[in-house]
Every structure is written in C-alpha cells, then in structure tokens.
Amino acid sequence: MEMQRTVLMADGQSFYASIEKAAHPEYRDKPVAVGDPARRSGIILAACPIAKSRGVTSAERVGEALAKCPDLVVIRPRMQTYISVSLLITEIFESITDQVEPFSIDEQFLDVTGSLALFGSAEEIARLIQTRVKLSTGVWSRVGIGPNKILAKMATDNFAKKRPTGIFELTHDNIEEELWSLPVHQMFMVAGRMTSHFARMGLHTIGDIARLDLGEFKKRMRFRMGRQSDIQAEYYWQTANGIDPSPVVTGMRSQIKVINHGRALKWQAYRTIEDIEPLMLELIVEVCRRARRYGYMGRVVAVGAAETDGHRSSGFGRQRTLPRPTHLEHEIGPVIRSLFLEHWKGLPLTHLHITLTDLSRDDMYQLDLFEDRERLIHREKTVDALKERFGPTAIIRASSLLKTAQAFERAAQIGGHWA
C-alpha cells in the first residue's frame, strides 16, 4: 500500500513588512507598511499586523493608508533583500526535505513524507520551520498541513493564518467539517467572477460543489459557461473534494502562458499621447525582450489602462490577434498604439499594461517574402545580449530620454521597486 503523502505549505506573514521590522527594531511596536513614502499615489505592498489592525490593507494607496493611520511608518521596498531572504528560507526548508517547490516569494510547498522519521510528526516539523525561519529572518511562518498541495494551501489560507499557533492540518477526515461550510470564494483559485457564476448556479459554499455528483456539476457548468467548461468543472469539483495528485516539484515551475509588463503612474504626468508614448514603447520593448529571453512568440496582444482626472475614472482592456506570432517591437508596437487610441477616453493615465499571449516556441517561425525576419530577430537578440551583459540602459531608444520615460529609473529597481 502506497504511503499517504504529507505536504506543507509555509507562508511568511506580512513578508516584506516583517523583514523591514526585523531590520528596524525601533519599529517593533509601530504600524509599518512597505511602499514608496515619496509617492502618496503609490500602493502599499505589505502591511504588518499592527498596521492591518488600524485598517491598512495591501494594494491601497499610500495616501489612503496614512489617512487611516497617521503614525504609519512607510518604508521604501528593497526587492533584492526580499528575494535574498526568500532564497535563505528555501535553504532552511531544504535542510528538512529535498522536495521544496516555491509558489511565490513568500509561499513554498514542502513534501515531508520522507522526513517524518527524522524530524517527527508534521506538526513538529511545522513548529521546527517556524522556529528556524523566525530566528534566521524575523519572519513568522504560517503552515498548512495536508495530504496534497491543494489541502495544504487551503489549510494555510483559511485556517493557519487565523490560528495563534499558525498551524493547521486539513485532511480528508475533517474536510467536510472544516472546509465545506466556508463560502465558495475561499476555495483555492476561485475569484470574484467565478464566485458570481457559482452563485447563479445556487452554489454558495465549498460543500455545495463537493456534495454534487460530478456529472451534475458539469451539466450546470455547461449551462452557465458552455461545453468547453468540462475541464474547469472537474478541476473545481476535485478542489472542493480535496483531490490533487500533482507532486511537489523542486525548483520554480513551469510552462509560461502570458508575458506582460505594466506600470502604476502619477496621473498628473501622463495627460497627452505625447506624454504616454515614450512609456508605452518601453513597456512594449520589455515585453518583447522577455518573450525572446524565454524563447516564445505571441499571437495575441493586449493593452490595459486606467485613467482619471480626479473626478471621473475609467478603464479598459482590449486585445487583438496578430497575423502571425511575433516578439518583435515593430510588429507589436503599432497594434498596441492603435488599440490604445481606439479606447482611451483622453483622461490622464494612472496605469498602463501590455500583454502578449497565445504563446508558441520561437524555434519555428514564419518567414516573410518582403522582410528579412531572421536578420531582424538576430539583431534584437544581439541587443538583448548587450543589455544582459552591460545593463538594461546600455542601449536605449532616443524616446527614453524624454521626461515621461522611465528606463533609467527602472534600471535601478527590481520588479519595479528599489533594490
């Protein structure tokens, strides 16, 4: 008989904020958030528990957070530090098991099935993780335990985060009692839009899905979302029932399905198309550069934007299919510009986002009778190689010297935040 797996999901509480509080002991009893203190229109990336108790939330504007909590200490993010701490935590986990799968910068799966004989029960391993990570980094870990990744993840998100011990085990023995009564939006991978679909089907709790016969659930999904929804239905039904055969995969995952790049903006600076175009071109260049780095071309491009004049607000997201897959700026740029001008209402921008999807490998591509595509691709990859070696500003377009461009500022950052 095959041994049942024991999987942990370890999550760092208020990860960025916890690292900053560990680095600044003088702020131990103060509300702390991570964001750009010089930009009240910027967003809060993380808030410590004290700040959260004062109403501060992640993703809200810095100005809004300070209005709720005037004594909030806002610290500029240091992304390289957070990445280094995340890698250190991975090393701590790898001292317990060689099966560690990073899920995000602050979440990691561990398969500890083979470690139980060395370190004790799953709960004892969870406490060991909490102690080692706290002593090494100052970050408090919440740990969910389950027989697979789905249950471990839902144990962390729905229970461990709310327990004083920071540990909770979700198994097939207690799933009905503990999980099925929760609202359906608390099920893994169910967001607002899917919650609305389920509500219209009369499915309000996780148990409402789990108790249905799979065939009946597929029938409801087809009626609501079309015949192509069968695979989706099976995924949600299995999730509700705690079924997940996927292994813990060491290292980072996986098949890339989308390549995108976006910026939150100071809306006062991006009022006209002349203001916006330099930044738009930089985003297009970066998306194409990433696509070439990963070895992909895309056939569907999309642009998204949010705009406001301080009184009226609007937003849009539109996509267009290209004649052929590409990762070349001169093929993507005019389409993005046309889409943007077609749907932009002319208000100052607060956000701009470029996306490339419907990806395929770039080792096979269509040639052109009227253009030497191979030469153009080779040229762009040569420029990419120079940027990799000498930095992203080693070669830039002249438009990046304009006032509203951000290439030089972003070159000193990691993931859009200061290193």
Side-chain angles (χ1 to χ4, degrees):
M1 181 177 176
E2 186 178 345
M3 174 185 272
Q4 178 172 279
R5 290 189 300 156
T6 301
V7 177
L8 310 185
M9 157 57 82
D11 166 82
Q13 182 183 42
S14 306
F15 190 65
Y16 299 166
S18 295
I19 292 170
E20 295 301 345
K21 293 193 85 163
H24 299 278
E26 66 272 23
Y27 298 148
R28 186 180 69 176
D29 299 318
K30 293 182 179 295
V32 168
V34 175
D36 189 344
R39 292 183 58 196
R40 294 180 71 90
S41 62
I43 63 170
I44 297 293
L45 298 177
C48 75
I50 298 174
K52 288 178 179 177
S53 71
R54 308 270 187 90
V56 178
T57 61
S58 298
E60 72 176 337
R61 301 286 179 183
V62 171
E64 295 170 352
L66 287 168
K68 295 177 183 176
C69 183
D71 60 337
L72 181 69
V73 179
V74 182
I75 300 175
R76 194 167 76 169
R78 299 178 297 147
M79 295 307 298
Q80 184 58 60
T81 298
Y82 308 149
I83 292 169
S84 298
V85 171
S86 180
L87 293 173
L88 172 60
I89 291 172
T90 301
E91 291 181 10
I92 292 171
F93 295 161
E94 288 173 343
S95 70
I96 296 170
T97 174
D98 61 353
Q99 297 182 64
V100 179
E101 178 183 337
F103 186 71
S104 67
I105 194 169
D106 61 343
E107 295 177 300
Q108 305 195 45
F109 287 109
L110 301 83
D111 189 327
V112 298
T113 308
S115 304
L116 299 174
L118 294 173
F119 297 99
S121 68
E123 188 168 336
E124 287 173 316
I125 293 176
R127 287 198 296 269
L128 178 63
I129 283 171
Q130 289 177 324
T131 301
R132 289 186 178 180
V133 172
K134 181 72 173 177
L135 289 174
S136 300
T137 68
V139 176
W140 173 246
S141 300
R142 287 80 60 88
V143 184
I145 305 169
N148 55 48
K149 292 197 292 187
I150 284 289
L151 286 179
K153 172 68 173 166
M154 291 195 288
T156 303
D157 291 347
N158 296 311
F159 303 104
K161 290 182 179 182
K162 301 171 184 176
R163 295 292 199 277
T165 62
I167 299 171
F168 190 84
E169 184 169 7
L170 193 58
T171 69
H172 291 110
D173 293 330
N174 67 354
I175 185 174
E176 182 173 0
E177 176 186 354
E178 300 288 352
L179 188 69
W180 286 5
S181 61
L182 297 183
V184 72
H185 72 264
Q186 291 183 235
M187 188 166 78
F188 181 56
M189 294 297 289
V190 174
R193 188 174 179 182
M194 204 64 226
T195 299
S196 298
H197 283 308
F198 287 146
R200 290 186 177 95
M201 295 181 219
L203 306 173
H204 301 284
T205 68
I206 297 175
D208 289 341
I209 296 174
R211 292 186 182 95
L212 275 179
D213 176 76
L214 177 56
E216 172 63 23
F217 183 49
K218 284 184 177 181
K219 189 185 301 181
R220 295 194 191 188
M221 287 281 283
R222 283 182 205 148
F223 180 79
R224 179 74 197 161
M225 303 179 67
R227 296 189 63 83
Q228 74 281 359
S229 65
D230 275 9
I231 294 175
Q232 204 173 5
E234 189 150 348
Y235 171 79
Y236 285 122
W237 185 85
Q238 287 187 358
T239 299
N241 282 283
I243 300 169
D244 178 19
S246 64
V248 171
V249 180
T250 57
M252 296 300 292
R253 302 155 297 143
S254 64
Q255 170 86 25
I256 294 172
K257 297 183 179 178
V258 60
I259 297 171
N260 54 38
H261 202 45
R263 306 270 171 84
L265 307 172
K266 297 178 181 178
W267 62 271
Q268 298 92 335
Y270 295 88
R271 295 175 174 272
T272 68
I273 188 61
E274 289 76 18
D275 297 331
I276 295 164
E277 276 189 312
L279 176 66
M280 181 185 294
L281 181 56
E282 288 178 349
L283 295 178
I284 293 166
V285 167
E286 184 57 30
V287 165
C288 290
R289 182 184 172 204
R290 288 180 182 178
R292 290 189 294 268
R293 183 191 305 151
Y294 299 143
Y296 286 99
M297 290 183 172
R299 196 169 178 209
V300 176
V301 295
V303 59
E307 48 187 317
T308 185
D309 61 3
H311 302 286
R312 296 171 296 157
S313 295
S314 179
F316 64 87
R318 294 293 186 275
Q319 68 179 38
R320 186 166 292 166
T321 301
L322 303 173
R324 60 190 176 189
T326 184
H327 53 29
L328 296 175
E329 290 90 335
H330 77 280
E331 293 179 341
I332 290 174
V335 180
I336 292 293
R337 189 180 190 277
S338 173
L339 268 176
F340 177 81
L341 290 175
E342 187 179 336
H343 298 284
W344 178 44
K345 293 183 178 178
L347 301 178
L349 289 195
T350 60
H351 187 84
L352 184 63
H353 199 91
I354 308 295
T355 302
L356 184 65
T357 57
D358 193 9
L359 303 179
S360 57
R361 299 299 306 182
D362 70 354
D363 50 2
M364 293 181 63
Y365 52 86
Q366 184 176 340
L367 298 177
D368 194 308
L369 289 174
F370 307 102
E371 185 178 59
D372 190 347
R373 282 193 97 205
E374 191 165 359
R375 181 180 63 83
L376 293 171
I377 291 170
H378 179 71
R379 183 190 68 186
E380 295 303 329
K381 288 188 175 182
T382 300
V383 172
D384 294 343
L386 289 170
K387 289 183 176 183
E388 288 293 330
R389 183 171 181 181
F390 298 108
T393 57
I395 298 178
I396 61 168
R397 295 174 181 264
S399 59
S400 289
L401 298 173
L402 296 174
K403 183 178 179 181
T404 54
Q406 297 184 10
F408 286 97
E409 178 184 349
R410 302 285 291 194
Q413 301 175 345
I414 296 176
H417 307 288
W418 297 103

